[in-house]
Amino acid sequence: MTGFHRAIHAAILTGLLATATLGQGTLSDYQRAKNLGSLTGGKVFTAKIVPHWFAENTRFWYRNDRPGGTREFILVETETKTRRPAFDHARLAESLAKASGKSCEATHLPIDAIEWDVAENAIRFGAHGKRWKCGLDDYAIAEDTAEEVAAKEPDDKPAQSEDRRDSHRRSRPSDTSEKSPDGKWVAFTKDHNLYLRKEDGGKEFQLTTDATEEDGYEG
């Protein structure tokens, strides 16, 4: 082998070794990756929107989990392009405290999900180990019986299963969109905030303004 060929082989070997070295992380890199969940846990909020559409497909509600364990329920009206609290959180907290005999704060409602009774303008939910029904006209709360719950079909429905949503979200870029069940409306994220528009085009309506690059809406 000539000196020239030896030089070529040495150069190729050096390049391969450099590539292999660049492909491997340091011990600290792997440790940071392993601890990513604990490092970011409890620090990212409003990053996940799960819309629950009403039967008429013109509005939906979702729950916002906030810092400090606070939460809020939001109602989005697609035809009026508005976003507002789904109900009076303070009045609901006061009524639930009286009915259950347990303290309740408007910012820390012990409610994970709600079922909307459009006909009676009321919501059903579980709290303190019981089922409750609250009328949104007077915020009178009564315990929901098992028969009523079994006979009543919820008027809201999730757009898709959580497992499917999560796998779909992981395969999409940060700016994502979700269609309403009837395909007429599109809720989407842009610049980390939530927007709404009709599927056939037209003006975009911004629904949120509180997102940042570190704490934005997704999916």
Side-chain angles (χ1 to χ4, degrees), residues 6 8 16-17 30 32 41 47-48 50 65 68 90 96 99 104-105 122 124 142 150-151 160 174-175 178 183 197 219:
R6 283 196 295 269
I8 294 297
L16 291 174
L17 289 174
Y30 288 113
R32 281 195 299 271
K48 180 179 177 183
V50 180
D65 292 328
L96 181 58
C104 185
E105 298 180 26
R124 288 177 161 85
Q160 52 183 265
S174 57
D175 284 353
E178 291 285 353
R197 65 173 170 77

Side-chain angles (χ1 to χ4, degrees), residues 107-212:
T107 56
H108 291 76
L109 290 173
I111 302 172
D112 293 323
I114 57 178
E115 297 172 4
W116 217 289
D117 189 331
V118 176
E120 299 185 30
N121 192 29
I123 57 175
R124 288 177 161 85
F125 55 88
H128 303 310
K130 295 181 180 180
R131 294 284 304 176
W132 304 91
K133 176 182 175 182
C134 177
L136 298 183
D137 292 324
D138 56 6
Y139 284 84
I141 287 184
E143 188 174 343
D144 224 359
T145 66
E147 291 76 13
E148 287 177 324
V149 174
K152 192 70 180 179
E153 289 293 331
D155 287 305
D156 59 89
K157 51 187 176 181
Q160 52 183 265
S161 70
E162 193 64 30
D163 290 341
R164 180 184 172 193
R165 182 181 304 280
D166 286 343
S167 62
H168 191 37
R169 181 182 293 114
R170 286 193 294 269
S171 65
R172 295 184 299 183
S174 57
D175 284 353
T176 57
S177 63
E178 291 285 353
K179 286 185 180 181
S180 63
D182 63 359
K184 294 182 179 180
W185 295 90
V186 178
F188 62 98
T189 58
K190 186 171 72 171
D191 298 330
H192 314 293
N193 271 298
L194 186 64
Y195 286 74
L196 182 73
R197 65 173 170 77
K198 284 193 173 182
E199 170 61 19
D200 56 4
K203 184 179 178 181
E204 298 177 354
F205 298 91
Q206 187 170 355
L207 300 176
T208 65
T209 58
D210 56 347
T212 63

